[in-house]
Amino acid sequence: MEDAPLGRLEDLPADYVAQMRAQNLVPLWPSLRALLPPTKPQPATRATHWAYEAIRPLLMRAGELTPIEKAERRVLVLANPGFGGGSMQASAAIYLGMQLLLPGEWAPSHRHTPNAVRMVVEGEGAWTTVDGEQCPMQRGDLILTPTGLWHEHGHEGDAPVIWLDVLDLPLVHYLEASYHVNGARQTVVPGRSDRAYSRAGLVPTPVFGRSSRAYPMLRYPWAHARAALLALAEDRPDLDAVQLTYTNPETGGHAENILGFHALMLRPGQVLALPARSPASVWHVIEGAATLTVGDGEGEGAEAPRFALAEADTACAPGYLPLTLANASAGAPAFVFVADESPLHQKLGLYETR
């Protein structure tokens, strides 16, 4: 049964509209279908591809044009065109940015309400200090800077270091809860959580109980994640999707509380069909190359967007569309970092698969 057409705002007398506006009132029915569309949402998020080959020269030029003292964080935001020019979001809840740190630079300590993670794209010699823990930054590493924790970045190497920032900033900003506080340089304390929680199923057990930190593990080394993916693929040749989720080792829940983070391996030549899910998702190639197809081209007769993702490329896909991910190589695996809004949808009771 189709929805009956509803009245339009222009159908109402001008004096009536003026009287409503004077009282800060808005009629619902002219906008009802936009707020509650039939069958499924109509996301503003567009399927979008950002090629690292195009981003890197612009990021390096930013390093020449703007010293770190003037930028504080030297970032090019990966803006989704579905939200208009100059938008600061990749999806409704996800912000993406490519950040550059040059040798000898220090990005000063601050803390903020949005949660953030860093996926290292290129270079060595940099570190992120989070809540006193100094986390080395190597390609493919995932480093958390959760809400409210002090963090800063430094670089003692001899070549540029670049990483992908993933934040829940659009959501926190929409909730009018986004702010930051600057702080002094941190004192590094002994201990690294990636060493304390280096084996699945084993957590430190101090005499007086487990860690009281909400986020006990801050660095997830790529060497560990890659080895786990390869072991899983070998052990379970029957699995279609060789995927692991970055989790909190003390609770078993997602590594952070709003966005989910995953590592996925495509076997040589593999084509992986994924069902339509409600959350938007981000796909970043750590090693290899892949083709991402968003949707099936049905519904409006439009051809489904298809992106050839080279190493270090990033793409965003809206929710409620099926995805197909294909390894571009017939002889080597491809490894992909995935960020999505699934924890948020699950907490709100909105998560669904179609």
Side-chain angles (χ1 to χ4, degrees):
M1 182 177 178
E2 294 185 1
D3 292 319
L6 301 178
R8 303 172 303 167
L9 184 64
E10 51 265 37
D11 295 334
L12 300 172
D15 65 317
Y16 179 67
V17 173
Q19 289 170 5
M20 285 191 295
R21 288 176 175 167
Q23 300 301 320
N24 297 313
L25 299 172
V26 178
L28 172 62
W29 59 93
S31 303
L32 183 59
R33 294 289 182 258
L35 292 170
L36 295 169
T39 309
K40 69 175 184 178
Q42 302 297 319
T45 303
R46 290 188 197 170
T48 309
H49 171 215
W50 295 273
Y52 187 62
E53 183 181 21
I55 295 173
R56 192 183 189 282
L58 296 171
L59 197 54
M60 295 306 299
R61 191 174 182 203
E64 298 171 0
L65 295 173
T66 307
I68 194 67
E69 295 78 15
K70 294 289 186 181
E72 186 171 324
R73 298 295 193 268
R74 194 188 290 109
V75 179
L76 295 182
V77 178
L78 279 55
N80 192 300
F83 296 95
S87 71
M88 291 286 169
Q89 58 193 113
S91 76
I94 300 175
Y95 159 104
L96 299 174
M98 280 287 179
Q99 184 163 173
L100 168 69
L101 198 65
L102 295 173
E105 290 186 334
W106 174 64
S109 182
H110 69 192
R111 59 184 176 90
H112 44 64
T113 45
N115 292 285
V117 302
R118 326 292 173 179
M119 166 54 59
V120 184
V121 176
E122 176 186 330
E124 293 187 359
W127 43 263
T128 295
T129 299
V130 188
D131 200 27
E133 179 182 333
Q134 192 169 93
C135 303
M137 303 183 79
Q138 298 178 332
R139 185 173 71 97
D141 288 357
L142 183 71
I143 297 173
L144 310 187
T145 55
T147 177
L149 295 190
W150 295 105
H151 56 278
E152 60 193 86
H153 312 291
H155 191 355
E156 298 170 349
D158 55 10
V161 170
I162 297 171
W163 62 85
L164 176 69
D165 290 324
V166 187
L167 284 76
D168 54 21
L169 174 61
L171 174 67
V172 178
H173 184 264
Y174 176 77
L175 295 174
E176 299 182 348
S178 180
Y179 70 91
H180 87 283
V181 179
N182 289 328
R185 190 158 190 156
Q186 297 180 67
T187 299
V188 176
V189 298
R192 277 176 41 186
S193 58
D194 60 300
R195 292 173 174 167
Y197 298 91
S198 63
R199 294 294 182 271
L202 297 172
V203 297
T205 51
V207 173
F208 299 108
R210 292 184 177 181
S211 172
S212 60
R213 298 164 66 181
Y215 300 96
M217 188 168 176
L218 298 171
R219 177 179 182 247
Y220 296 75
W222 173 236
H224 294 178
R226 190 181 193 277
L229 287 168
L230 288 170
L232 179 61
E234 181 180 1
D235 185 58
R236 293 289 307 277
D238 58 308
L239 281 180
D240 289 332
V242 182
Q243 178 172 296
L244 299 170
T245 297
Y246 293 93
T247 64
N248 181 322
E250 295 281 358
T251 67
H254 285 279
E256 289 188 341
N257 59 356
I258 301 299
L259 302 180
F261 308 105
H262 320 272
L264 182 147
M265 173 184 150
L266 292 170
R267 296 182 174 92
Q270 182 180 7
V271 178
L272 179 63
L274 300 170
R277 301 186 311 138
S278 56
S281 55
V282 169
W283 305 79
H284 173 81
V285 179
I286 300 176
E287 294 182 32
T291 300
L292 176 67
T293 304
V294 181
D296 50 20
E298 297 181 358
E300 299 179 3
E303 184 177 351
R306 180 172 297 169
F307 305 126
L309 305 180
E311 197 165 282
D313 282 7
T314 306
C316 181
Y320 293 94
L321 289 174
L323 305 175
T324 301
L325 197 65
N327 190 343
S329 171
F335 297 91
V336 181
F337 169 67
V338 185
D340 64 22
E341 301 166 340
S342 56
L344 175 63
H345 282 226
Q346 289 160 354
K347 286 180 172 65
L348 295 175
L350 301 174
Y351 185 90
E352 60 176 299
T353 300
R354 297 192 175 192

